[in-house]
Amino acid sequence: MSMVLVTDLDGTLLGGTPDDRKRLRDALAHHPDVIPVFATGRGASSVRELLHDPLVPRPRWVIGDVGATVLDGTGFTPVGPVQEALRAGWPGAGPVRAALRRFPGLVYQHGVAQDGRCSYHLAPDRLTDALTSAVEALGCAWVYSGDRYFDVLPPTASKGNALRALAAELGWRPSEILVAGDSLNDLSLFRLGAHGVVVPGAEPALLAALADTPLVHRPEEAGAAGIHAALRRLGWLPAGQGLPAGPGRSAAGPGRTAAGRPTAPGRTAVGRRHSLVVAYHRPPLHWDGDDWRQPSSPNGILPTLTSAFADGLPGIWVTASVGGAAQADRPHPTGLPLSAVPVDAATWTGYFHRACKETLWPVLMSEPERLVLDERAWADYRTVNARFARHIDARAAPGATVWLHDYNLWLVPGLLRRLRPDLRTGLFHHTPFPAPETFAALPVAAELRRSLACLDWAGFHTPEFADRFRRTLAGLPGPPRTAVHPLGVDRSAVEALVRRRVRAPGPAAVRVVLSVERLDYAKAPVQKVDAFERLLARRPELRGRTVFRLVCPPPEPGITAYDLTRQHLEQRVAEVNDSWRQGSWQPVDYLPHRLSPARVIDEYLAADVLWVTSFQDGMNLTAKEFVAARSPLFRRSAEPGVLVLSRHTGAAAELGGPALLTDPHSPEDLSTVLGRALDLSPADRRARMERLSELLGREQPAEWAARIVRAIRACPDPAPPPAR
């Protein structure tokens, strides 16, 4: 069954308080089966501009221009047959304006983006029979709303007719649709026999017209809150605040283990000791003040560990809980065996925002010139690592296996060797590992080397990273075993999202070059914008026909290391768009906010090229997700997507044959390789995607986790702690 929310924007979805809008946005992100459709008087460019507001959900479809425009919200391309039928008989804006020029009360809205319609301001006393007869003589329809807005439309265009045509195209039934509005130009939406919600403050004429309509809900809450209430009333959103089961998440629900056995809400027994302790500084979801938020991707270390524990991996997951003991005690809905290490906000800022991101991260990215060491922040790093070590000590059974994750816990191995020499300790690096000479740039390099040498096992995505690690620890006694275990993606989870989102691939009027990445200088976002502009300058035929869509959500607030990157990026996006804009087309579609997994899948399916240009990357699961999303379609798609991949990603070691490799350190290479990707023939695209699909494999992330636990347990008995 489909669940389709069709909503007006101004006064409806955009109404209510910012908290109301945030709550509705988050609810839709948590429940991707509810399909958002915008039905608005705004034109396409106005809707696109609105999407820069982080509180506005991304629409799957857009009905714009009061029903004269119908767009696929993924690529903002017209739904051709539907839009053409709605615009049949439209004489054009010029003839309409010329014919109505004799009515002095009509004031044309020059500053309003519009297409396939003419929009005017008109006082109520100027709405005369003579005016409406003149419109009808043109063979056009009209709608008047808000005692101010007079829209002249093609003869069959209206929001309701557009929705009816879109529903017929996509197979939606009226019982599967909720429409929301507040003005008379929304009335036609309510004539389809669907569920409806009229928000407070609606136009009195709309309320009067729907007075006896039984399927229309009239909530007390305004705007977005009223829509949220109606969705909950229909049962499309749960009454509680818990997150839904989904790919990589236990479906057991709050208060139960993955096997269905009862457990204390969001806790594990403190007094019990475990044979396996997994430690990662991030929890699988976090509290944002109103609700628990899940990761934005079905893949990555958080979904992998979630899936592994849900599939029966024994032990506990030790993680930080920012906000102190009160936050750590808050019940969570995962059903996972989490064990929280309370960290107050000030310590977390020093540990993560400063020490991890300003001291260690530049070295990991092989950019030591960016390194900043703050002694107070490094003291916070030591404090958090010590808390993790003590927490693990208290919960690990004799001879237990400890599996640490990433550079955020680099001091834990040395601390555990002194506290618990009986433990086998492994660490997997999800980031790149730098060359020895780069690692040596750290003022705290010796302290870190001593701790890392206390590991029994260290895992990496590529042989190169493993070799760098071994060379960094060369000369220290008893170095750890190393192994290469590249992490894959949960293809079944990605393919399930694809099946829910895709009807059939079809040609698009505008080709899309896509990047999906968090804001980070290591991802080379500014360099990509520069390279795309360089390509437009060389290739005039791409102008107006190709878009670079950069989905680039900001990092966690408080990380000052990225502020300059964001400022520079936004400046370059504005400059390039101002220089090359043509009509409603602009070359860079910058989306500076996080998308739900389902929306990311939509972007993958709309893209002609996925452009990954990291200066350094441990793996880059986005590249693998793209292949997983597109490979089921390559036999049916006229032009399967192309993967352009940085040579400096872990994924390049696996996918570098059929992918097009690029060097982000070379501006010329970035432009040239992207141009080549856009020029590949359909046959070449299909062959490359087929080979990428084969290379990707189908190992489940939970199987990957189980292999690593076995590898750590296979290490020899731990050596005694080194002399100090």
Side-chain angles (χ1 to χ4, degrees), residues 652-688:
E654 298 178 82
L655 307 178
L660 294 182
L661 296 184
T662 191
D663 184 358
H665 297 283
S666 167
E668 177 65 26
D669 191 70
L670 281 177
S671 297
T672 300
V673 175
L674 178 59
R676 181 185 168 202
L678 291 168
D679 292 340
L680 288 179
S681 68
D684 197 352
R685 286 170 174 249
R686 279 193 293 273
R688 288 174 180 275

Side-chain angles (χ1 to χ4, degrees), residues 515-519 523-525 528 550-553 611-613 622:
S515 291
V516 181
E517 59 201 24
R518 72 182 184 280
L519 181 72
K523 305 290 185 180
K528 272 193 286 231
L550 176 57
V551 181
C552 192
W611 200 16
V612 178
T613 64
T622 298

Side-chain angles (χ1 to χ4, degrees), residues 107-343:
V107 179
Y108 186 75
Q109 297 186 54
H110 288 280
V112 173
Q114 48 191 287
D115 188 18
R117 56 148 173 162
C118 287
S119 294
Y120 298 87
H121 289 142
L122 183 70
D125 60 345
R126 297 297 185 98
L127 181 61
T128 63
D129 290 342
L131 172 59
T132 58
S133 295
V135 172
E136 291 162 5
L138 290 166
C140 296
W142 59 273
V143 62
Y144 186 63
S145 60
D147 287 334
R148 183 182 182 189
Y149 302 106
F150 186 80
D151 288 285
V152 181
L153 303 167
T156 61
S158 69
K159 289 184 179 181
N161 284 344
L163 175 57
R164 183 179 288 106
L166 190 60
E169 177 75 12
L170 299 173
W172 299 335
R173 297 189 296 270
S175 61
E176 299 172 337
I177 300 172
L178 170 67
V179 300
D182 74 324
S183 73
L184 267 183
N185 72 25
D186 302 317
L187 178 60
S188 59
L189 292 171
F190 293 88
R191 299 302 197 200
L192 272 65
H195 302 284
V197 53
V198 178
V199 297
E203 192 174 344
L206 178 67
L207 294 170
L210 299 176
D212 299 322
T213 307
L215 291 177
V216 175
H217 177 50
R218 298 170 180 80
E220 296 180 357
E221 301 90 343
I227 297 173
H228 192 271
L231 289 167
R232 290 174 59 178
R233 183 186 183 202
L234 287 173
W236 294 3
L237 297 179
Q241 293 295 323
L243 302 179
R249 164 181 268 111
S250 167
R256 303 195 72 79
T257 67
R261 294 184 293 273
T263 179
R267 303 193 188 184
T268 187
V270 174
R272 181 183 170 195
R273 295 199 174 236
H274 302 267
S275 61
L276 173 66
V277 179
V278 177
Y280 182 55
H281 70 291
R282 288 289 194 189
L285 72 175
H286 70 275
W287 182 258
D288 68 359
D290 297 308
D291 198 1
W292 289 103
R293 297 291 302 275
Q294 60 182 325
S296 59
S297 170
N299 292 293
I301 188 55
L302 291 174
T304 293
L305 292 179
T306 298
S307 177
F309 278 106
D311 284 357
L313 187 70
I316 59 169
W317 178 347
V318 174
T319 184
S321 179
V322 182
Q327 179 68 36
D329 288 340
R330 185 184 297 279
H332 60 78
T334 66
L336 297 172
L338 301 182
S339 186
V341 178
V343 181

Side-chain angles (χ1 to χ4, degrees), residues 299-378:
N299 292 293
I301 188 55
L302 291 174
T304 293
L305 292 179
T306 298
S307 177
F309 278 106
D311 284 357
L313 187 70
I316 59 169
W317 178 347
V318 174
T319 184
S321 179
V322 182
Q327 179 68 36
D329 288 340
R330 185 184 297 279
H332 60 78
T334 66
L336 297 172
L338 301 182
S339 186
V341 178
V343 181
D344 62 274
T347 302
W348 178 264
T349 295
Y351 159 74
F352 184 72
H353 298 172
R354 303 290 176 262
C356 290
K357 287 301 181 181
E358 294 184 356
T359 303
L360 300 179
W361 187 252
V363 171
L364 291 166
M365 296 299 110
S366 298
E367 297 193 36
E369 65 278 4
R370 295 179 180 267
L371 185 159
V372 176
L373 178 64
D374 181 322
E375 291 293 347
R376 291 174 298 179
W378 192 249

Side-chain angles (χ1 to χ4, degrees), residues 484-527:
V484 176
H485 292 279
L487 177 61
V489 297
D490 188 342
R491 291 188 72 167
S492 61
V494 173
E495 289 166 0
L497 286 170
V498 170
R499 285 192 295 272
R500 291 205 294 268
R501 310 302 289 186
V502 172
R503 289 181 56 80
V510 177
R511 305 182 74 186
V512 176
V513 176
L514 174 69
S515 291
V516 181
E517 59 201 24
R518 72 182 184 280
L519 181 72
D520 192 322
Y521 52 78
K523 305 290 185 180
V526 177
Q527 288 78 3

Side-chain angles (χ1 to χ4, degrees), residues 612-623:
V612 178
T613 64
S614 311
F615 288 125
Q616 288 286 322
D617 221 328
M619 174 51 70
N620 195 281
L621 292 178
T622 298

